[in-house]
């Protein structure tokens, strides 16, 4: 059951799809007080209470013990002290002494979450502006809370099936030939690949909706050439439009008054990659329609995928901010500055980026009225993505676009996926990747993944290999790195064969992963779950932070420490360990519930299948369309009949009919033998272990 409570003058953020009546009762579970404009919600915490949620955020699955802030931020280090990342997903799920309940703070402005940080025995949530709707969810279990919440916010975006293929990306591929080299690097060594991305270097002077015709003289020809090789291209799009009279997007946006303005009516100018840029007011429907239409030339040139970036929005500096820093420097020039002056001078420059002063400087128009950006900041990226989805659907009606964004808000999960942003080539970021995977499932962003190998810092061969071993399961599987860092395409490493072998497992799993993704989306479920969701009575499982349940029948537990040759795994029940080296080379070891040390050489990685469940492996290929999903090998440890339903469809139609696409795979055990059938046809069941 979900109840709704309004405070101040809530904005329609578009997060929810169900219109619930406003309750006149006091908010359950919380005491509520007003402090100036702020509305503050306080809930007591028992010693062992757990708090899940918040989607994209640093630290544990259990968010208790620190503080977070809903404020979409361009952050490039994701260290433990960071309160904000790129998305705001204001859902908390409480589980413990006081029962199980959820709270969603539908507020497009800043919200502070003090989850047992200031005082260990209370959670304090502060809405800075006080204009919000709070939804309280009562349920039987964490899984039940998520199911109800997801019904409230509507079904998630689903990618085309080829969107689950491997994506190779790098900031620095500048020309058509650079991309050809990347494609050839994979194809020559038979490394699976479906998509290559084009970072900002493809644009002419970093201008949105352009491509540099010297570097890409024939984009339609290039996309056709790649299509023949089953490769798609995925260009980036930035939120800020370069200030350049003569540029079509800039001129039209200025003429029509589509860019955000300051209080004095002047268009707000902030610098991003193109230098000075202006920011479309994506919160207006007519602006979204205009921006959506701007994608058409790229899409007509054969582009089928887009990633949206810098849409928090990131602002390196504004004209005003830069001037203030210069003024500070001028005021100190020639004086003998003390150490505090020195820090102030330094801060004047480093503090220019993504500053609150700038976010307060400009306005949107909502219902004909100017609204300061600060009040609705967290909606900006979501509304850009809404426009992009609209633009892509208009060009290919009825087909699912491949789309993901950096900034997000709940509601945007219906339009696209998100990637986890600018992580680093750090081992700890494999673990962060894992945890965000589950937390993002709670809030509807099922299609997510992190930059494999790490975006910032120089990577290492073993890190790429271990990270791919987690990436093999994540819906977005993209290797991406920052300009200036060490190359990290698979084919460049000495151990490329072992990396390729990980991809064979990925591709063999795609029919299963796709099926689990669609089923989770359509049934308000989670493809990835903390163990606490499946084994709430098992204290050890509830505290497990480095393993996740995958689908109905599996559990993942990646190695995330350098030089480790194995890891500790907790099994809440009997499971079959599948120790993969490739899609064809793996061993299956039945393991009883409890604690285990699992030996895993650098090229080995585990997948656990719950006893009584089965997992289908298809025949892998070098691109998704080539996968043979009729040639299945079933893995499992069963003592009696077992079954699995696999969802299949054409992989691209917008309309999903879950019941029409389900095939039953059935394992029958009789006289000490297992036989398997899928849709009535006999299958090879050689890897079924009977007991
Ligand atoms: C941002 C993006 C990153 C991209 C870079 C250049 O940092 O998060 O993925 O490579 O900008 O466009």
């Amino acid at each position: 059951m979900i109840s709704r409570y309004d405070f101040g003058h809530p904005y329609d953020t578009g997060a929810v799809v169900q219109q619930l009546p406003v309750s006149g009762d006091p908010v359950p579970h919380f005491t509520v007080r007003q402090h100036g404009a702020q509305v503050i919600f306080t809930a007591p915490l028992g010693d062992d209470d757990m708090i899940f949620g918040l989607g994209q955020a640093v630290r544990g699955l259990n968010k208790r013990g620190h503080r977070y802030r809903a404020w979409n931020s361009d952050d490039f280090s994701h260290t433990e002290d960071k309160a904000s990342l790129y998305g705001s997903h204001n859902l908390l799920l409480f589980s413990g002494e006081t029962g199980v309940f959820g709270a969603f703070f539908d507020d497009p402005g800043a919200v502070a979450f003090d989850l047992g940080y200031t005082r260990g025995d209370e959670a304090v949530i502060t809405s800075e502006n006080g204009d919000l709707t709070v939804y309280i969810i009562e349920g039987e279990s964490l899984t039940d809370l998520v199911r109800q919440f997801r019904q409230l916010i509507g079904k998630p975006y689903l990618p085309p099936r080829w969107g689950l293929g491997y994506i190779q990306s790098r900031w620095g591929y500048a020309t058509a030939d650079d991309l050809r080299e990347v494609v050839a690097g994979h194809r020559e060594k038979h490394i699976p690949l479906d998509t290559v991305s084009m970072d900002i270097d493809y644009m002419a002077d970093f201008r949105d909706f352009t491509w540099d015709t010297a570097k890409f003289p024939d984009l339609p020809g290039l996309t056709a050439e790649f299509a023949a090789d089953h490769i798609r291209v995925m260009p980036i799009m930035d939120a800020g439009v370069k200030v350049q009279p003569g540029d079509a997007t800039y001129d039209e946006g200025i003429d029509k008054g589509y860019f955000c303005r300051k209080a004095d009516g002047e268009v707000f100018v902030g610098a991003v990659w193109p230098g000075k840029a202006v920011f479309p007011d994506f919160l207006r429907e007519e602006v979204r329609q205009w921006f959506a239409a701007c994608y058409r030339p790229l899409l007509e040139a054969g582009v089928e995928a887009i990633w949206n970036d810098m849409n928090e929005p990131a602002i390196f500096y504004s004209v005003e901010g830069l001037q203030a820093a210069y003024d500070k420097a001028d005021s100190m020039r020639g004086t003998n500055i003390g150490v505090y002056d020195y820090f102030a001078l330094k801060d004047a420059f480093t503090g220019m980026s993504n500053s609150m002063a700038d976010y307060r400087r400009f306005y949107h128009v909502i219902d004909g009225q100017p609204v300061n950006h600060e009040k609705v900041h967290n909606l900006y990226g979501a509304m850009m993505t809404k426009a992009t989805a609209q633009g892509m659907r208009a060009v290919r009606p009825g087909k699912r676009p491949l789309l993901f964004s950096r900034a997000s808000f709940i509601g945007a999960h219906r339009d696209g996926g998100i990637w986890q942003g600018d992580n680093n080539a750090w081992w700890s970021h494999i673990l962060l990747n894992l945890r965000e995977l589950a937390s993002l499932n709670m809030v509807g962003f099922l299609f997510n993944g992190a930059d494999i190998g790490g975006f910032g810092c120089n990577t290492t061969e073993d890190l790429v290999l271990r990270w791919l071993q987690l990436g093999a399961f994540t819906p977005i599987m993209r290797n991406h790195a920052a300009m200036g860092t060490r190359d990290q395409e698979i084919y460049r490493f000495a151990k490329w064969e072992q990396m390729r072998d990980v991809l064979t497992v990925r591709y063999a799993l795609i029919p299963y992963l796709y099926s689990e993704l669609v089923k989770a989306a359509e049934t308000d479920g989670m493809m990835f779950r903390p163990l606490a969701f499946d084994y709430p009575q098992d204290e050890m499982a509830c505290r497990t932070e480095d393993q996740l349940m995958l689908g109905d029948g599996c559990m993942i537990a990646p190695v995330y420490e350098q030089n480790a040759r194995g890891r500790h795994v907790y099994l809440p029940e009997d499971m079959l360990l599948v120790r993969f080296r490739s899609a064809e080379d793996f061993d299956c070891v039945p393991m009883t519930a409890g604690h285990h040390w699992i030996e895993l050489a650098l090229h080995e990685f585990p997948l656990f299948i719950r006893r009584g469940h089965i997992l289908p492996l298809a025949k892998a290929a070098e691109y998704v369309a080539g996968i043979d999903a009729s040639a299945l090998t079933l893995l499992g440890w069963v003592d009696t009949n077992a079954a699995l339903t696999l969802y299949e469809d054409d992989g691209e139609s917008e309309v999903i009919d879950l019941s029409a696409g389900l095939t039953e795979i059935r394992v029958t055990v009789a006289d000490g033998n297992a036989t398997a059938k899928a849709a009535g046809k006999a299958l090879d069941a050689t890897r079924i272990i009977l007991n």
Side-chain angles (χ1 to χ4, degrees):
M1 207 199 67
I2 306 186
S3 44
R4 167 182 171 177
Y5 307 86
D6 279 7
F7 298 86
H9 303 283
Y11 294 96
D12 179 7
T13 63
V16 306
V17 295
Q18 286 177 356
Q19 293 311 317
L20 303 182
V22 181
S23 166
D25 297 338
V27 183
H29 304 290
F30 293 92
T31 53
V32 183
R33 68 195 164 90
Q34 189 100 24
H35 178 76
Q38 296 177 341
V39 182
I40 304 170
F41 304 82
T42 305
L45 294 174
D47 280 352
D48 294 324
D49 290 5
M50 299 183 294
I51 310 173
F52 293 93
L54 291 187
Q56 189 176 44
V58 297
R59 295 183 166 249
L61 287 164
N62 182 350
K63 290 283 174 253
R64 182 166 182 177
H66 217 262
R67 56 181 172 178
Y68 304 87
R69 183 176 166 81
W71 187 259
N72 291 2
S73 300
D74 169 24
D75 180 274
F76 46 84
S77 61
H78 309 186
T79 45
E80 280 188 25
D81 59 327
K82 294 298 165 62
S84 311
L85 295 176
Y86 314 87
S88 294
H89 311 129
N90 304 344
L91 173 73
L92 296 177
L93 304 171
F94 295 82
S95 164
E97 274 172 28
T98 46
V100 175
F101 68 96
F104 171 48
F105 300 85
D106 189 4
D107 181 336
V111 181
F113 298 91
D114 180 332
L115 306 180
Y117 169 82
T118 302
R119 282 184 55 143
D121 60 355
E122 62 184 30
V124 183
I125 295 95
T126 307
S127 162
E128 298 291 347
N129 300 315
D131 294 316
L132 77 162
T133 297
V134 179
Y135 295 90
I136 300 292
I137 314 164
E138 309 285 355
E140 290 165 5
S141 62
L142 290 162
T143 310
D144 180 38
L145 296 179
V146 169
R147 189 178 311 119
Q148 293 187 52
F149 177 64
R150 295 269 301 286
Q151 279 165 5
L152 179 70
I153 62 172
K155 285 186 183 155
Y157 155 89
L158 282 169
R161 187 169 41 227
W162 56 264
L164 269 63
Y166 185 58
I167 307 175
Q168 179 56 50
S169 182
R170 182 175 180 82
W171 174 14
Y173 300 153
T175 65
D177 282 344
D178 287 350
L179 295 185
R180 287 193 179 98
E181 187 189 323
V182 172
V183 170
H186 288 80
R187 287 289 181 254
E188 277 162 18
K189 291 187 158 138
H190 305 290
I191 302 166
L193 180 72
D194 271 82
T195 302
V196 282
S197 73
M198 297 158 75
D199 207 323
I200 44 173
D201 314 276
Y202 81 90
M203 297 182 193
D205 306 321
F206 303 125
R207 286 184 286 131
D208 275 0
F209 307 114
T210 64
W211 60 91
D212 186 324
T213 49
K215 297 171 178 170
F216 291 87
D218 178 15
L219 187 59
L222 185 72
T223 56
E225 174 190 325
F226 283 168
D229 218 355
H230 305 278
I231 299 284
R232 267 93 170 180
V233 295
M234 184 170 202
I236 197 169
M237 196 58 66
D238 283 348
V241 170
K242 185 177 173 75
V243 174
Q244 187 160 315
D247 172 82
T249 314
Y250 175 76
D251 284 351
E252 199 180 347
I254 289 286
D255 277 359
K256 301 207 163 132
Y258 286 163
F259 299 120
C260 293
R261 291 168 189 275
K262 299 185 288 184
D264 63 6
E266 293 285 308
V267 172
F268 171 76
V269 177
V272 208
W273 299 122
K276 285 183 188 169
V278 288
F279 298 86
D281 184 0
F282 292 121
L283 275 65
R284 283 151 65 187
E285 171 62 26
E286 57 175 332
V287 178
R288 287 198 297 272
Q289 278 180 14
W290 163 69
F291 203 78
C294 293
Y295 286 91
R296 187 168 275 276
L298 266 175
L299 299 169
E300 286 181 344
V303 163
E304 293 174 74
I306 298 282
W307 50 306
N308 282 343
D309 193 23
M310 309 305 274
N311 50 355
E312 293 72 28
I315 302 172
F316 295 161
Y317 62 86
S318 65
V319 175
E320 295 83 352
L322 183 63
Q323 191 55 50
Y326 285 148
D327 290 348
K328 179 114 208 153
D330 284 342
S331 74
M332 292 182 177
R333 197 187 300 276
T335 65
N336 182 15
I337 61 170
V339 69
Y340 294 115
D341 295 329
Y342 160 72
F343 286 132
L345 177 62
K346 204 166 97 173
D347 289 350
F349 285 89
T350 55
M352 266 187 322
S353 296
N354 306 319
S355 79
M356 283 307 293
D358 283 341
Y359 290 130
R360 289 188 186 118
R361 239 185 266 284
F362 64 95
Y363 292 78
H364 300 274
V365 179
I366 299 177
D367 297 332
Q369 298 302 313
V371 173
N372 191 264
H373 175 78
E374 188 197 3
K375 299 220 180 292
V376 289
H377 171 78
N378 294 334
L379 284 181
Y380 192 76
M383 293 298 134
M384 177 187 181
T385 301
K386 197 176 172 132
T388 313
Q390 213 170 300
M392 296 182 87
R393 291 191 172 117
V395 175
R396 291 195 184 82
K399 291 193 177 169
R400 282 171 253 158
L402 178 60
L403 168 61
F404 49 78
S405 168
R406 196 171 74 172
S408 65
F409 190 77
I410 292 173
H413 71 288
R414 300 191 298 270
D415 293 311
I418 53 179
W419 94 98
Q420 296 178 9
D422 296 349
N423 59 11
N424 278 297
W426 297 340
W427 290 83
S428 59
H429 279 181
I430 297 184
L431 192 54
L432 182 60
N433 183 170
L434 180 90
R435 290 171 177 167
E436 284 192 11
L437 199 54
S439 300
L440 286 170
N441 265 254
M442 296 171 202
V443 295
F445 288 94
L446 303 191
F447 191 59
N448 80 82
D451 287 350
I452 292 172
F455 174 75
C457 307
N458 291 323
T459 200
T460 57
E461 185 174 60
D462 54 351
L463 180 63
V464 174
L465 186 48
R466 287 298 195 198
W467 210 323
L468 284 166
Q469 294 170 356
L470 168 61
F473 305 109
T474 64
I476 298 177
M477 189 185 194
R478 184 177 79 151
N479 178 334
H480 180 53
M483 181 175 268
T485 60
R486 181 176 177 183
D487 291 338
Q488 62 187 43
E489 293 82 9
I490 289 178
Y491 56 84
R492 296 182 189 275
F493 291 102
K495 291 194 191 305
W496 66 268
E497 286 168 298
Q498 299 182 347
M499 296 179 185
R500 179 200 58 197
D501 288 350
V502 177
L503 287 189
T504 65
V505 176
R506 163 62 167 210
Y507 277 65
L509 282 172
I510 280 182
Y512 172 74
L513 295 174
Y514 180 72
S515 167
E516 290 303 319
L517 178 66
V518 175
K519 282 198 272 181
E522 293 293 301
T523 62
D524 305 306
M526 294 166 66
M527 184 177 172
F528 293 94
R529 300 173 303 282
L531 272 53
F533 281 55
D534 286 36
Y535 307 95
Q537 307 305 334
D538 180 335
E539 180 58 18
M540 184 67 212
C542 287
R543 302 284 158 184
T544 297
E545 287 273 349
D546 59 357
Q547 306 171 197
L548 291 181
M549 302 309 294
L550 159 59
D552 254 0
C554 298
M555 186 180 80
I556 57 171
V559 173
Y560 54 90
E561 283 178 337
Q562 188 159 32
N563 300 317
R565 290 295 178 263
R567 59 161 286 171
H568 166 260
V569 173
Y570 175 66
L571 303 187
E573 59 176 302
D574 293 354
M575 293 187 183
L576 179 72
L577 159 66
V578 184
R579 191 189 276 112
F580 279 116
R581 288 171 288 276
S582 77
E584 320 248 276
D585 181 14
F586 52 87
D587 35 62
C588 297
V589 189
M591 307 201 86
T592 50
H595 296 268
H596 296 272
W597 173 261
I598 313 284
E599 302 273 349
L600 297 158
L602 186 55
H603 64 294
E604 294 179 322
F605 64 109
L607 176 65
F608 296 87
I609 306 174
R610 293 166 63 197
R611 188 170 181 177
H613 287 254
I614 45 178
L615 174 80
L617 279 185
K619 198 158 171 3
E622 286 179 39
Y623 49 90
V624 170
I627 297 170
D628 183 356
S630 65
L632 295 180
T633 300
L634 299 185
L635 313 184
W637 173 19
V638 300
D639 42 20
T640 166
N641 295 353
L644 166 95
T645 48
L646 200 61
Y647 173 79
E648 281 178 291
D649 60 12
D650 66 4
E652 59 175 12
S653 298
E654 197 76 67
V655 179
I656 306 267
D657 183 351
L658 191 59
S659 53
L662 291 176
T663 314
E664 177 146 283
I665 299 175
R666 186 169 277 287
V667 172
T668 310
V669 178
D671 305 327
N673 279 316
T675 49
K677 281 185 176 171
K681 277 198 287 175
L683 284 178
D684 175 6
T686 49
R687 305 308 285 259
I688 298 287
I689 293 180
L690 292 174
N691 209 322

